[in-house]
Amino acid sequence: MTTLLEPAFAKVNLTLDVLGRRPDGYHDLRSVFQTVSVRDDLALDIGTGKPWRLQCSKEGIPCDERNLAWKAAKLFCELAKVEPEGLEIRITKRIPSEAGLGGGSADAAAVLRALNRHYGSPFSVGALAEIGAQVGSDVPFCVLGGTAMVEGRGERLRPLPPIPECFFVICKPDFSSSTPELYRQLDAQPIACRPDHRAMEAAILAGDLAAITRSVRNVFDDVVSAAHPEVGGIKSVFRTYGGMCAELTGSGSAIFTIVPSFEYAAVICDMLRGQYSNLFIGKSV
């Protein structure tokens, strides 16, 4: 039996725009994704000689073929034409669910990377990302990581230079958002303020962290903030104690800010710790 270890990093959306509904029912997106160091850890046992099994340290996570990590492993083995002769996936879960942080997608991408490495890299990184697109919309980016412009359903990726080193504070409130309902609301009304992707890309190319934070924008933010006033309270704490921006990631419900040093991040967490248990400090990866 062989054990493979692989980290699964969360993502935040520095920008997120919904461009319209597609004929297939999905929506076209344009978004700048950024990997952050908040992570799950995966261990894959290859050759257990037993039926496939998935374990997760957090209750409430599906531990069968509904889990994206399981789906990714099954698809990889089918396409690579390999038989692991028994597989066990163990997930140490830290990335909160229903947060807009891509935790399930990150786990799936970690499985793809680990299996690809174990079997001698039959797929390039680009091909592995294409496999990931069959598992979930955010999986291709999670395979790639770093900083990237993401378009379509998430399958079109254009790597960007790394952003300057900085720290992220992420707060996940107790509520969760219904993604389909948020899309319905956006479809029903004009979007008042969209992200300026040209400005964001120019700021990234210039390595200007202040300009990057000025261009942070997510079209879901206004809808979620209107329905949940506590989002405004979290943002207020972010800004009061040195946060350079304050915005939703994905369709929520996590909110993030960017700060230039760990000391700022620690102070913000101290201010929120009495109200929120899902608080994270991460670095850009």
Side-chain angles (χ1 to χ4, degrees), residues 97-246:
S97 303
E98 299 179 325
L101 295 168
S105 297
D107 295 343
V111 166
L112 292 175
R113 289 194 302 268
L115 290 176
N116 196 51
R117 185 173 64 249
H118 175 71
Y119 287 107
S121 300
F123 301 108
S124 66
V125 174
L128 207 63
E130 290 180 5
I131 294 171
Q134 300 179 53
V135 179
S137 297
D138 290 343
V139 180
F141 170 76
C142 292
V143 168
L144 179 69
T147 310
M149 181 72 75
V150 180
E151 297 183 277
R153 283 182 55 199
E155 76 281 5
R156 300 203 306 271
L157 303 173
R158 180 163 54 86
L160 296 171
I163 67 172
E165 183 175 285
C166 59
F167 288 84
F168 289 77
V169 180
I170 300 167
C171 178
K172 164 67 170 69
D174 292 335
F175 73 86
S176 296
S177 303
S178 167
T179 301
E181 175 57 29
L182 291 177
Y183 276 114
R184 281 193 289 271
Q185 292 186 48
L186 287 183
D187 288 340
Q189 60 190 22
I191 296 174
C193 182
R194 296 181 182 272
D196 185 340
H197 285 99
R198 289 185 178 182
M200 175 59 80
E201 189 163 351
I204 292 172
L205 291 172
D208 186 338
L209 186 62
I212 289 170
T213 59
R214 287 195 298 270
S215 297
V216 167
R217 174 65 184 158
N218 181 341
V219 296
F220 286 117
D221 190 285
D222 290 342
V223 179
V224 174
S225 296
H228 300 279
E230 68 178 296
V231 171
I234 295 168
K235 289 181 176 183
S236 178
V237 172
F238 283 170
R239 294 191 179 101
T240 299
Y241 293 96
M244 301 172 72
C245 61

